[in-house]
Amino acid sequence: MCIDFVDVFNDGGVDFYVTDTAPAHLFQAWNPTTGSYVDATATYGLIGGTTGWASNFFDYDNDGWQDLYVVQMFTPNVLYRNPGTGAGSGPWPDVAPSVGLDTMLLQYTMSIADFDDDGDIDVLHRYDTGWVPLASGSALFRNDVPGGNWLKLDLVGTRSNRDGLGAIVEVDAGNGLVQKQHRRSGISYLSGSDKRLHFGLGAAAQVARVTIRWPSGQVQYLTNVAANQILKVEEPTMLTDGIAPVGGSTTVTASIPGDEGLAYLMPLALGTGTGITLPDGRVFPLDQDSVLDFTVDPFNPIFVGSFGVLNAQGRGTATFYVPPLPWLSGLTVYSAALTLDPPTFPLIRTIVSEAATITVQ
């Protein structure tokens, strides 16, 4: 009926849960030692009571560990609390009765979201009114469970899809706990949920590092992020109108949210076919040629602003001045950017992975 997947044990793997007719619910746990999955449904007591429909992993008490809520038919719904003891622990307790989520009405679906933006996950139920004599076919259960700190991320793709579906986000609170979630959708049966990624942080008042791996291949970092806030995060990209007139100019902007105040380097080059392999194995997507060698000089007169500091919005801008030479018409050049952040990162922090294309006309 439904499948959801998340790093349940904060060990870097991806575990998943599938609902079906009882007793065929399935929890597959990833074993990082053997590099394989194991059926751990019985191990953690996640068999369920009857036919299961919608289900979602979410951290209802913000302790940094993903819990599991399952909508069932003919028996009360269950909220399995992840005890946070890692893989190999015993059965997860059902805490639904203690938090008011053990409803027993005919239903197939539900949605989860922080409806009031107070930092915890609420649950919206939808019932089959043909069988149940309710004035309304739905009910919103507000989460008032005392819990820890939290961080919510609203992803906005630029080169990737707009909602960042498929992005992988890792949150390191600096306390030895590293959480991972995928930006996913269509998890519960016949419903959608809040697109924002919610992370419980326990007692941590700050996140040391957030790493976002976008579907485009772009990697983005946020560091020293305060807890208890909702952050809208836009994917890094290069911005340009793509045209530079002979004898005129055009601007190129590197937009790298999260790197505000860092030094950037943004040269030009004639090609992107090979790129430059850096000491850490990453590739800067410009070929090394005479144009690149010339424009990395911060005092060059052709690409002014190729070296500078990102502003408060994480943007750095350079101006491409095209000499008044008619034979330059039709020339294509490329620009990409990187930021420097020692000692937090080994010299280079972010590389904008796709170059901007500029055609001289």
Side-chain angles (χ1 to χ4, degrees), residues 10 135 237 241 262 318:
N10 295 327
T237 191
D241 62 11
L262 295 182

Side-chain angles (χ1 to χ4, degrees), residues 45-74:
L46 305 180
I47 300 170
T50 183
T51 300
W53 291 89
S55 68
N56 280 93
F57 283 110
F58 64 92
D59 186 356
Y60 83 96
D61 55 359
N62 286 338
D63 66 350
W65 298 86
Q66 294 287 315
D67 312 296
L68 176 64
Y69 187 54
V70 183
V71 167
Q72 302 189 126
M73 180 185 290
F74 305 127

Side-chain angles (χ1 to χ4, degrees), residues 241-319:
D241 62 11
I243 298 173
V246 171
S249 65
T250 191
T251 59
V252 181
T253 299
S255 176
I256 312 177
D259 287 12
E260 297 84 359
L262 295 182
Y264 70 84
L265 178 64
M266 182 170 52
L268 295 176
L270 294 174
T272 61
T274 303
I276 301 172
T277 301
L278 304 174
D280 62 4
R282 290 185 291 173
V283 176
F284 186 61
L286 296 182
D287 295 342
Q288 182 147 12
D289 53 32
S290 58
V291 173
L292 184 143
D293 293 340
F294 183 68
T295 56
V296 293
D297 182 347
F299 301 106
N300 81 86
I302 300 297
F303 201 41
V304 177
S306 61
F307 183 83
V309 175
L310 298 180
N311 65 18
Q313 290 71 48
R315 294 192 170 194
T317 299
T319 303

Side-chain angles (χ1 to χ4, degrees), residues 2 28 86 134 160 187 246 263 286 327 341 357:
C2 169
Q28 289 280 92
L134 297 176
S160 301
I187 297 302
V246 171
L286 296 182
W327 56 268
D341 188 21
T357 302

Side-chain angles (χ1 to χ4, degrees), residues 41-276:
T41 316
T43 301
Y44 299 102
L46 305 180
I47 300 170
T50 183
T51 300
W53 291 89
S55 68
N56 280 93
F57 283 110
F58 64 92
D59 186 356
Y60 83 96
D61 55 359
N62 286 338
D63 66 350
W65 298 86
Q66 294 287 315
D67 312 296
L68 176 64
Y69 187 54
V70 183
V71 167
Q72 302 189 126
M73 180 185 290
F74 305 127
T75 57
N77 297 337
V78 290
L79 175 60
Y80 296 109
R81 183 178 185 273
N82 185 340
T85 50
S89 59
W92 294 7
D94 175 18
V95 298
S98 65
V99 298
L101 287 177
D102 58 332
T103 55
M104 189 173 67
L105 297 168
L106 186 64
Q107 66 178 117
Y108 306 97
T109 190
M110 56 92 173
S111 294
I112 60 168
D114 186 359
F115 286 95
D116 49 5
D117 284 341
D118 65 347
D120 49 35
I121 300 297
D122 311 300
V123 179
L124 177 64
H125 281 185
R126 178 69 181 174
Y127 306 116
D128 186 334
T129 55
W131 284 41
V132 182
L134 297 176
S136 172
S138 61
L140 176 60
F141 290 77
R142 172 174 169 164
N143 187 345
D144 288 324
V145 175
N149 296 318
W150 53 276
L151 178 67
K152 200 181 301 292
L153 300 174
D154 187 4
L155 304 185
V156 180
T158 53
R159 292 189 290 118
S160 301
N161 63 85
R162 181 195 60 188
D163 293 330
L165 291 168
I168 302 173
V169 179
E170 293 181 358
V171 169
D172 183 354
N175 56 2
L177 192 65
V178 179
Q179 301 178 59
K180 179 171 71 174
Q181 291 189 51
H182 289 70
R183 170 65 183 96
R184 56 206 193 277
S185 184
I187 297 302
S188 276
Y189 181 73
L190 295 179
S191 67
S193 293
D194 196 340
K195 69 178 183 178
R196 301 171 299 182
L197 290 176
H198 181 96
F199 294 87
L201 301 176
Q206 178 175 274
V207 170
R209 182 179 298 184
V210 176
T211 304
I212 305 171
R213 303 182 189 279
W214 294 88
S216 65
Q218 178 66 54
V219 181
Q220 182 175 13
Y221 304 98
L222 309 174
T223 52
N224 301 321
V225 179
N228 303 326
Q229 63 171 317
I230 301 171
L231 283 180
K232 179 172 283 189
V233 185
E234 187 174 286
E235 181 182 14
T237 191
M238 302 294 294
L239 305 171
T240 178
D241 62 11
I243 298 173
V246 171
S249 65
T250 191
T251 59
V252 181
T253 299
S255 176
I256 312 177
D259 287 12
E260 297 84 359
L262 295 182
Y264 70 84
L265 178 64
M266 182 170 52
L268 295 176
L270 294 174
T272 61
T274 303
I276 301 172

